[in-house]
Amino acid sequence: MVTLIDKTMEPLISEALYNAYFKSLLAGQRQTCSKIVQTLLNREIDIKTLYIDLFQKSLYEIGHLWETNKISVAREHLATAITEGLLNLVYPYLFSGTTGDQKIVVSCAPNEYHQIGGKMVADLFEFHGWDTHFVGANTPNDHLLSLINEIKPTLVGLSLSIYFNMPLLHVSLEAIQTHYHHLDIIVGGQAFKWGGMNLLKRYPTVTYIPSLNAVERYLHDVFKKES
């Protein structure tokens, strides 16, 4: 069983392994990346370590290369697509065996097409026994509100990667709080490294989650979940 508990042993993702994975990811070598991830899963790596030290780290590095014009947008999209496919390898290992009453809807803001961060957040909630509904990219507000009405979640998560979409995120927050003013919301994503924190102060039920590590702290502190 794959676990989120850190083990007192040599790290499964060594610098050499990470570099081999990153080189393959950048080159678009899907099969090699898949073999590396499956090997780590077979060695019972914890999901959080896999997500943070392999997937998140490599995607941040890919994003930096794109932002500094060292790789093309096509190359960035290829790496993203490969990573999204690799998340499917993890899915059979996500279930903790128990399902509680807590439900979360995770979505991207309108016009936001980078959904991997939101998917990894949803996966961590899934592992902790939540009933998780991951909507994905570019979800119109009326459709999101309709799903919230149907699911009646405990929590809504919104992901934003592109800073220029920040106004659309705030439209979504306004819409949710207008219709469900007591509903707790978490937000996160790379967009917030460029700003937007002051605007979040308008919304008392919104919590900013800066990292995957912070997801687990939030679960433990707010919902008393054991990590």
Side-chain angles (χ1 to χ4, degrees):
M1 166 68 73
V2 175
T3 176
L4 284 172
I5 299 174
D6 294 332
K7 297 173 180 167
T8 56
M9 59 174 65
E10 291 297 318
L12 293 179
I13 303 177
S14 64
E15 184 177 357
L17 181 65
Y18 172 80
N19 289 336
Y21 172 84
F22 182 77
K23 181 180 178 180
S24 299
L25 183 65
L26 190 59
Q29 297 172 345
R30 183 188 306 268
Q31 188 174 15
T32 302
C33 292
S34 179
K35 287 180 179 178
I36 291 172
V37 171
Q38 189 60 60
T39 297
L40 289 170
L41 290 170
N42 291 343
R43 294 177 64 190
E44 298 188 347
I45 190 171
D46 62 276
I47 298 297
K48 186 177 71 173
T49 296
L50 180 66
Y51 279 19
I52 292 174
D53 293 343
L54 195 70
F55 295 156
Q56 181 177 269
K57 181 180 178 180
S58 61
L59 287 176
Y60 281 0
E61 193 169 353
I62 290 286
H64 176 71
L65 291 175
W66 172 69
E67 289 171 355
T68 54
N69 296 315
K70 293 180 179 177
I71 62 172
S72 68
V73 67
R75 185 64 62 183
E76 185 266 342
H77 285 178
L78 178 59
T80 299
I82 290 174
T83 307
E84 192 160 5
L86 295 174
L87 290 176
N88 293 329
L89 294 177
V90 183
Y91 193 73
Y93 301 88
L94 287 177
F95 302 103
S96 64
T98 59
T99 302
D101 296 329
Q102 309 281 23
K103 293 185 284 188
I104 182 171
V105 170
V106 180
S107 177
C108 297
N111 203 42
E112 178 58 66
Y113 292 91
H114 294 77
Q115 64 179 22
I116 288 184
K119 177 66 168 64
M120 288 194 286
V121 168
D123 284 354
L124 290 182
F125 274 87
E126 185 90 31
F127 189 93
H128 281 285
W130 282 57
D131 184 5
T132 302
H133 302 264
F134 177 66
V135 182
N138 189 31
T139 305
N141 285 325
D142 56 342
H143 290 256
L144 180 59
L145 291 173
S146 178
L147 184 65
I148 291 172
N149 183 62
E150 177 185 345
I151 300 298
K152 296 177 174 53
T154 310
L155 186 67
V156 170
L158 296 176
S159 177
L160 188 70
S161 294
I162 305 300
Y163 178 71
F164 294 109
N165 289 330
M166 189 68 70
L168 296 176
L169 174 67
H170 287 281
V171 172
S172 297
L173 293 175
E174 289 284 354
I176 294 171
Q177 292 215 321
T178 296
H179 290 83
Y180 308 99
H181 56 278
H182 293 304
L183 181 60
D184 288 325
I185 304 169
I186 58 174
V187 298
Q190 284 293 88
F192 289 94
K193 74 178 183 178
W194 305 108
M197 293 300 299
N198 287 334
L199 292 176
L200 291 180
K201 295 177 182 178
R202 301 177 185 173
Y203 308 103
T205 63
V206 173
T207 301
Y208 169 59
I209 304 293
S211 67
L212 292 177
N213 273 325
V215 171
E216 296 222 304
R217 290 194 296 270
Y218 178 80
L219 278 167
H220 180 270
D221 294 343
V222 178
F223 293 97
K224 309 302 181 187
K225 293 285 185 181
E226 299 249 344
S227 55

